[in-house]
């Protein structure tokens, strides 16, 4: 593993930082508000997508063959971190666009599916989403109730899914349902414009307000046979392979949120004076900030270790879960203690700290709650094969 960024990766980092610092703050002011309407989310997407496309941040992991950069994982995660340093919701959009909807197609798509969907993702013409969670099947995702009944030229899907990021904006969604023949989870590409697909409840979340999360409902939805993704009955492989990569994006998101909080706090504590000196000069303030700096670097190294393995074509399941647990759990501690070090100002929306705190709470939950990551590590370390 190389501990240094290449010149190209340094350039990517710089341009992602510049983009986030220039484009995100005005959007945060307008759109990072609780209970946005579907129209507002759409309005935001219509503003952000062209900017991302112009700056080259759309579908970055889509190979050149299908119209994009074919970027390595480390570079994509650098962008994720830089975006999250400024805006959690903006970084989540990047994760869905570049990871959750791209990874399953890249790993399991037929040539025709890749041509149709990856090319459209790379150009910004289509937006994807990933749809596994159900009301009664969250951590225990394999226990899903959505059913795919086999008919002559495809399947009929019935069921509902919840907590789906970008569901209300997506043109296509990777949906997991139990195939009636095998009674096992199977992955399908669902075009959202087709009859039988609808959006249910829009969630009002504790944070990540500018990122839409919704229920989807499938009622006698017809999916043609060419939209089967991977093999019948092997959907959990598609789901879990996607999540291995997705978890790295979430680890990088938590890293960015906590690094953003740390940077803001250091600046504030250097200029805030009490008892005749800057508050940063107190050991009670700078010792924990030093500890946090160590945690941040350690999280970054865990993330890059897993990403290097992925880029080398090696298995990285355990390393991705470790990176997610370490980065997200430290992020909750770092963002909330940073708020404490900034006193009353840290608790107001004049600082970005409340937003960082709210947003990072989700990172311990989505793409597999952290106890499930611990189970993954336990299994990979041969401690147990049971949950
Ligand atoms: C903002 C947001 C966006 C999301 N986006 C998506 C999306 O785009 N697509 C999608 O499919 N899903 C999405 N999700 C859903 C997310 O992946 C699930 O919430 C997550 O997997 C946990 O499932 P659950 O909420 O049902 O919790 P539960 O499974 O009910 O778990 C609750 C708690 O119990 C713990 N737990 C469960 N079983 C065990 C066990 N055996 N041992 C120890 N502890 C256990 C868990 O770790 C967790 O802390 C999103 C969620 C959020 C909050």
């Amino acid at each position: 593993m190389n501990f240094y960024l290449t010149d190209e990766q340094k350039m990517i980092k710089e341009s992602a930082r510049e983009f986030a610092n220039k484009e995100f703050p005005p959007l945060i002011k307008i759109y990072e508000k609780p209970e946005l309407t579907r129209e507002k989310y759409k309005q935001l997407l219509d503003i952000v997508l062209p900017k991302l496309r112009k700056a080259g941040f759309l579908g970055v992991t889509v190979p050149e063959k299908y119209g994009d950069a074919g970027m390595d994982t480390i570079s994509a995660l650098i962008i994720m971190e830089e975006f999250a340093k400024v805006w959690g919701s903006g970084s989540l959009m990047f994760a869905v666009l570049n990871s959750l909807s791209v990874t399953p197609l890249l790993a399991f798509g037929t040539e025709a599916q890749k041509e149709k969907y990856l090319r459209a993702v790379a150009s910004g013409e289509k937006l994807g989403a990933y749809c596994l969670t159900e009301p009664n099947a969250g951590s225990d995702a394999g226990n899903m109730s959505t059913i795919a009944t086999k008919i002559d030229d495809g399947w009929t899907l019935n069921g509902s899914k919840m907590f789906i990021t970008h569901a209300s904006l997506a043109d296509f969604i990777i949906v997991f349902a139990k195939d009636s023949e095998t009674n096992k989870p199977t992955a399908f590409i669902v075009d959202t414009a087709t009859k039988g697909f609808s959006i249910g409840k829009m969630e009002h979340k504790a944070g990540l307000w500018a990122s839409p999360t919704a229920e989807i409902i499938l009622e006698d939805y017809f999916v043609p046979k060419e939209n089967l993704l991977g093999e019948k009955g092997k959907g959990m492989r598609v789901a879990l392979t996607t999540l291995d990569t997705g978890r790295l994006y979430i680890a990088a998101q938590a890293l960015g949120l906590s690094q953003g909080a740390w940077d803001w706090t250091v600046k504030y504590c250097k200029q805030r004076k009490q008892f005749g000196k800057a508050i940063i000069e107190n050991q009670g303030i700078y010792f924990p900030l030093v500890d946090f700096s160590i945690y941040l670097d350690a999280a970054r190294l865990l993330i890059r270790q897993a990403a290097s393995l992925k880029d080398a074509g090696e298995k990285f399941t355990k390393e991705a879960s470790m990176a997610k647990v370490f980065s997200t759990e430290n992020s909750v501690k770092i963002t909330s203690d940073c708020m404490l070090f900034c006193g009353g100002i840290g608790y107001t929306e004049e600082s970005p700290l409340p937003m960082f705190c709210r947003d990072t709470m989700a990172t311990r939950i989505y793409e597999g709650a952290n106890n499930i990551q611990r189970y993954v590590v336990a299994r990979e370390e041969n401690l147990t094969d049971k949950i």
Side-chain angles (χ1 to χ4, degrees):
M1 173 172 148
N2 189 352
F3 287 96
Y4 303 99
L5 296 184
T6 62
D7 286 346
E8 198 186 339
Q9 287 166 339
K10 283 184 199 154
M11 255 171 50
I12 289 169
K13 185 178 168 77
E14 206 35 56
S15 67
R17 177 177 301 184
E18 225 173 80
F19 178 88
N21 285 326
K22 174 168 173 253
E23 303 292 352
F24 288 165
L27 297 173
I28 293 172
K29 268 204 184 111
I30 302 170
Y31 294 100
E32 193 58 41
K33 301 266 189 276
E35 304 189 17
L36 290 191
T37 59
R38 276 182 73 177
E39 292 67 36
K40 278 277 179 198
Y41 285 125
K42 177 75 175 81
Q43 202 180 70
L44 170 61
L45 181 79
D46 289 343
I47 297 171
V48 176
L49 269 192
K51 289 182 190 292
L52 287 170
R53 181 173 44 230
K54 192 162 167 231
F57 294 127
L58 264 191
V60 294
T61 51
V62 171
E64 281 175 42
K65 185 177 168 198
Y66 304 108
D68 219 303
M71 200 179 266
D72 61 277
T73 312
I74 292 182
S75 300
L77 295 174
I78 287 171
I79 300 172
M80 187 71 192
E81 182 189 335
E82 290 302 323
F83 280 14
K85 270 160 79 173
V86 183
W87 194 18
S89 298
S91 67
L92 192 53
M93 182 180 282
F94 178 79
V96 177
L97 284 168
N98 293 284
S99 156
L100 279 186
S101 56
V102 169
T103 308
L105 287 163
L106 265 181
F108 298 95
T110 61
E111 201 45 43
Q113 289 169 344
K114 288 180 186 169
E115 268 298 332
K116 181 171 174 190
Y117 293 99
L118 287 181
R119 201 167 278 290
V121 167
S123 67
E125 193 192 314
K126 279 190 198 294
L127 188 74
Y130 172 91
C131 189
L132 179 65
T133 308
E134 294 186 0
N136 292 314
S139 299
D140 188 9
N143 190 33
M144 63 186 66
S145 321
T146 301
I147 181 102
T149 310
K150 184 80 186 84
I151 52 175
D152 272 355
D153 44 357
W155 287 264
T156 306
L157 266 52
N158 279 289
S160 71
K161 299 274 178 181
M162 72 187 302
F163 297 142
I164 308 307
T165 305
H166 283 185
S168 58
L169 301 171
D171 301 288
F172 71 92
I173 303 193
I174 312 299
V175 171
F176 299 86
K178 272 191 180 154
D179 158 58
S180 59
E181 289 176 326
T182 61
N183 198 31
K184 287 193 175 143
T186 301
F188 300 95
I189 307 170
V190 160
D191 286 309
T192 58
T194 305
K195 198 170 123 255
F197 177 94
S198 60
I199 296 295
K201 182 181 166 216
M202 299 290 293
E203 299 296 343
H204 294 150
K205 306 191 297 299
L208 294 165
W209 290 330
S211 172
T213 315
E215 176 190 25
I216 74 155
I217 299 162
L218 296 156
E219 283 170 306
D220 292 332
Y221 176 96
F222 171 68
V223 59
K225 60 180 186 308
E226 60 270 22
N227 279 22
L228 170 70
L229 182 63
E231 288 176 52
K232 207 168 59 174
K234 301 263 174 76
M236 283 316 282
R237 236 190 104 212
V238 180
L240 298 179
T241 301
T242 306
L243 290 177
D244 278 351
T245 299
R247 282 162 189 164
L248 284 178
Y249 280 73
I250 303 311
Q253 181 182 41
L255 172 63
L257 291 166
S258 32
Q259 184 70 64
W262 191 92
D263 292 347
W264 200 90
T265 300
V266 167
K267 211 164 146 198
Y268 178 80
C269 292
K270 278 185 177 171
Q271 57 87 19
R272 171 73 176 165
K273 289 198 170 64
Q274 289 293 283
F275 302 102
K277 61 178 182 182
I279 58 174
I280 197 139
E281 288 173 32
N282 299 295
Q283 256 186 18
I285 302 279
Y286 73 75
F287 267 18
L289 285 170
V290 168
D291 290 346
F292 295 166
S293 187
I294 296 168
Y295 301 158
L296 289 167
D297 256 16
R300 201 169 280 115
L301 289 171
L302 279 173
I303 291 167
R304 293 205 182 142
Q305 167 183 248
S308 304
L309 287 168
K310 176 174 159 62
D311 286 337
E314 303 284 338
K315 191 170 180 206
F316 61 99
T317 303
K318 179 181 82 175
E319 290 77 7
S321 289
M322 285 175 159
K324 182 183 186 268
V325 170
F326 187 83
S327 180
T328 60
E329 293 187 0
N330 280 306
S331 181
V332 171
K333 166 88 179 144
I334 293 170
T335 52
S336 66
D337 280 7
C338 280
M339 184 186 269
L340 170 67
F341 302 155
C342 294
I345 287 291
Y347 193 65
T348 69
E349 298 288 335
E350 258 177 66
S351 87
L353 298 173
M355 180 180 73
F356 289 141
C357 284
R358 287 192 297 266
D359 292 354
T360 212
M361 297 300 264
T363 64
R364 293 186 301 184
I365 300 170
Y366 50 32
E367 306 220 14
N370 281 1
N371 276 353
I372 302 308
Q373 309 307 317
R374 290 186 167 87
Y375 163 69
V376 171
V377 176
R379 191 192 59 206
E380 296 295 316
E381 298 272 25
N382 288 323
L383 303 182
T384 178
D385 61 356
K386 293 205 171 58
I387 195 155

